[in-house]
Amino acid sequence: FLSAQIKIIWLTRCAVYEKQGLPVRGGNMKTTETETAKPRKERKANADKRRQQLLDATLRSIVANGLTKTTLATVANEASLSQGVAVFYFKSKTGLLTEALREQYRRYEENWQQALAAAGPDHLDQLLALIRADFAPQVCNSDALSIWFAFWGEQNFTPSYADVSAQFDIRRSQAVHDICERLLADDDQANPARIAEWIDGFTDAFWQRLHLFPKTETIENALESTFELVQQLLPDHAERIRKQVR
């Protein structure tokens, strides 16, 4: 136990020295006078770059090794950085994985928000854009789905994963709910919240099918089926939907 503590202290010190461009006694790090005197903005840019390197490497490691077998060592090796750098920036495996999940959600959120902004002011166009964004190849591919389901399977055991998921999921769900509410503003019998829930649940189910049955399920079928559902849920808009998705 003591040797493990000493190792962590040593790795952390190496990371701190490496970040500051200082030599480490007993190590093989090299520095130059220019590197030591780097301006603060440049040092921050380098720190941000290394942090992003580690997050990208973590996601790749999860795809290659699974969540359980992803460690600080596998991530450092994937990023071609020392393990001490990973310890310095994220403190622990759980801290690193939590931030990797946040990065995965950040990419997902950026994708649907861009699609929503590009759709313009029409509420039906916005809803269809959000559905298409859910199946866009940059967020719905075999690697991404492996990462999503690896984290979601551990949410009950790792509260930080659940916290991150809730933080991002509520914004996406609220966006669908708000659009449905505006679309059905003149329909006193409609239930926008329930319709939004059904649409989200349907796309979630197709993500699961795409993950479990990649040889038989396709994004094209997922999109077509989801649009057919929306036509049933919004009959007054069915004709417009059919024209747009042909």
Side-chain angles (χ1 to χ4, degrees):
F1 176 75
L2 184 59
S3 73
Q5 282 189 319
I6 293 172
K7 182 179 179 182
I8 291 173
I9 293 170
W10 166 251
L11 289 171
T12 304
R13 190 180 72 157
C14 287
V16 173
Y17 280 26
E18 184 177 347
K19 182 185 178 187
Q20 296 176 347
L22 300 174
V24 179
R25 184 184 302 173
N28 58 1
M29 294 184 184
K30 296 181 180 180
T31 187
T32 66
E33 187 175 334
T34 303
E35 289 172 338
T36 308
K38 285 179 179 176
R40 179 175 297 179
K41 284 186 179 179
E42 187 177 347
R43 291 201 303 271
K44 183 181 184 304
N46 288 338
D48 291 343
K49 181 180 178 181
R50 285 188 178 177
R51 192 175 186 279
Q52 189 62 50
Q53 272 183 269
L54 289 164
L55 292 175
D56 293 341
T58 303
L59 297 174
R60 292 196 301 272
S61 178
I62 293 169
V63 172
N65 307 301
L67 198 62
T68 303
K69 293 184 179 180
T70 288
T71 64
L72 292 171
T74 66
V75 171
N77 183 63
E78 184 72 36
S80 299
L81 294 171
S82 71
Q83 190 173 337
V85 176
V87 173
F88 175 77
Y89 283 108
F90 299 102
K91 311 306 179 188
S92 66
K93 173 182 172 178
T94 299
L96 175 60
L97 291 176
T98 299
E99 290 309 306
L101 176 59
R102 194 186 308 279
E103 172 66 12
Q104 181 79 347
Y105 264 110
R106 185 196 64 76
R107 297 175 185 181
Y108 173 72
E109 184 171 79
E110 183 179 78
N111 176 68
W112 71 255
Q113 287 184 343
Q114 286 178 351
L116 185 60
D122 184 86
H123 304 317
L124 183 61
D125 288 344
Q126 292 173 352
L127 181 60
L128 298 181
L130 284 182
I131 293 170
R132 288 191 182 95
D134 248 13
F135 296 107
Q138 60 266 36
V139 297
C140 184
N141 56 66
S142 59
D143 287 356
L145 292 172
S146 295
I147 294 166
W148 287 123
F149 284 98
F151 276 112
W152 290 337
E154 293 294 320
Q155 281 193 48
N156 289 339
F157 311 103
T158 311
S160 60
Y161 300 167
D163 291 343
V164 171
S165 295
Q167 174 189 347
F168 283 88
D169 285 344
I170 194 169
R171 290 199 287 267
R172 171 59 168 67
S173 297
Q174 190 64 48
V176 177
H177 173 272
D178 290 348
I179 292 169
C180 288
E181 197 167 58
R182 296 182 191 115
L183 271 172
L184 299 164
D186 298 328
D187 188 344
D188 295 336
Q189 303 302 314
N191 188 334
R194 185 58 57 86
I195 289 174
E197 183 181 342
W198 284 336
I199 293 171
D200 268 345
F202 205 70
T203 55
D204 286 348
F206 268 107
W207 268 29
Q208 185 179 52
R209 288 180 60 84
L210 287 162
H211 177 54
L212 295 176
F213 311 111
K215 293 183 179 179
T216 56
E217 190 57 81
T218 65
I219 286 178
E220 291 76 18
N221 179 60
L223 270 171
E224 183 179 347
S225 299
T226 306
F227 288 141
E228 287 177 0
L229 170 73
V230 177
Q231 290 175 47
Q232 297 298 318
L233 295 175
L234 304 172
D236 291 345
H237 302 278
E239 185 58 30
R240 270 193 66 195
I241 296 171
R242 278 192 291 269
K243 289 179 179 178
Q244 290 198 37
V245 301
R246 282 174 184 167

